[in-house]
Amino acid sequence: DLIVVDKPAGMVVHPAPGSPSGTLVNALLHHFGGNLSGVGGEKRPGIVHRIDKDTSGLLVVAKSDAAHHGLAEQFAAHTARRSYRAVCFGAPDKGDPRLAGIRGVSFEPGGTIKITTQLDRHKTDRQRQAVTFNAGRHAVTRLQVLRSFAGRAAEVACRLETGRTHQIRVHMSHIGHALIGDPVYGGRRKLALGSPGAEMANGFARQALHAETLGFVHPITREDMDFTSPLPKDLEDLIKALGETHI
């Protein structure tokens, strides 16, 4: 009924202008032939949701139309469970008055920072998304700091309530903590040369974002399912380098 895929960074999910081949959909069609849901049409068979080309980690693909509709309903109702691991510039801190003053930011028990905005296409760059408060689509991200690297950077867990295009990347940039390696929303921010992990972080080849967990109710058997993907080596190495201390 369905397939859960651990997608490597660098792979596009479905064919699009500039990426006609080498996509996840091409691989699925090769592996499963016509045994994929047709709901998404010829270009997106089986694709219920997407993750960005340079984001690694988990996504679920439907093999039957019934599974596709059942999964799509869960994503639309925000009952599918998705969490991501990321590494950002600086360390979000609920005690930071700057953070508390940003529109859309609120705080929940357990050290959770909640970001609630609208997201819409950027007015001048159609490839980007932008935070708005009077148009676009409702977007909610919750984040927790797992580890701070002396305030220079942080390892964070992000939980999606909604799943909009580039949502985590835009929200982290909105609160002043863009993801390391993000070529679109990270600006030209760099870590101070000579600090632990700076060389690796400043040259990181993709946004430091990994779709770590995925949970849903199986649309046919109704079984509760949870999947976890371990951190890929490039992110493990980045975190390790940032955590090193100079003697």
Side-chain angles (χ1 to χ4, degrees):
D1 296 295
L2 54 85
I3 313 141
V4 173
V5 179
D6 194 354
K7 187 187 83 66
M11 177 180 274
V12 175
V13 170
H14 59 75
S19 304
S21 61
T23 72
L24 176 61
V25 163
N26 294 125
L28 291 167
L29 287 171
H30 175 76
H31 195 70
F32 294 103
N35 193 17
L36 291 169
S37 155
V39 175
E42 284 187 15
K43 290 188 176 180
R44 302 181 184 183
I47 300 302
V48 180
H49 66 119
R50 295 174 291 171
I51 56 178
D52 296 337
K53 173 187 175 182
D54 287 326
T55 298
S56 54
L58 298 171
L59 72 163
V60 60
V61 177
K63 292 178 71 177
S64 69
D65 289 0
H68 197 130
H69 288 303
L71 289 166
E73 286 172 4
Q74 294 180 57
F75 279 93
H78 313 313
T79 57
R81 302 174 297 278
R82 287 178 286 172
S83 68
Y84 289 67
R85 192 92 66 92
V87 185
C88 65
F89 288 104
D93 180 0
K94 67 177 184 178
D96 179 359
R98 181 199 64 82
L99 188 63
I102 296 172
R103 188 175 179 184
V105 171
S106 60
F107 304 102
E108 295 182 337
T112 298
I113 300 168
K114 181 181 179 183
I115 309 164
T116 307
T117 73
Q118 309 289 105
L119 291 182
D120 206 351
R121 283 192 184 274
H122 194 280
K123 289 182 178 179
T124 58
D125 184 349
R126 306 300 286 175
Q127 301 301 313
R128 296 179 60 171
Q129 299 290 309
V131 164
T132 68
F133 290 94
N134 53 11
R137 305 178 75 187
H138 182 64
V140 180
T141 305
R142 287 178 173 84
L143 74 98
Q144 288 186 307
V145 175
L146 302 176
R147 184 179 178 190
S148 171
F149 302 105
R152 297 173 293 108
E155 179 184 358
V156 298
C158 297
R159 186 159 43 90
L160 290 181
E161 181 174 312
T162 58
R164 310 305 182 199
T165 301
H166 299 174
Q167 179 175 316
I168 290 172
R169 297 165 63 191
V170 180
H171 272 173
M172 293 300 292
S173 179
H174 173 65
I175 67 170
H177 293 284
L179 301 187
I180 284 175
D182 192 332
V184 178
Y185 302 102
R188 297 180 179 177
R189 193 165 175 180
K190 301 286 185 183
L191 294 184
L193 291 178
S195 61
E199 186 176 351
M200 182 175 290
N202 293 342
F204 204 68
R206 66 177 181 104
Q207 63 262 11
L209 184 62
H210 178 66
E212 183 176 36
T213 70
L214 175 64
F216 51 85
V217 174
H218 193 293
I220 308 302
T221 68
R222 309 310 300 169
E223 179 185 356
D224 206 26
M225 311 195 85
D226 284 285
F227 299 87
T228 302
S229 166
L231 278 181
K233 188 176 186 302
D234 62 346
L235 274 179
E236 273 195 340
D237 289 347
L238 173 64
I239 290 166
K240 182 179 178 182
L242 287 168
E244 289 175 351
T245 54
H246 291 324
I247 297 174

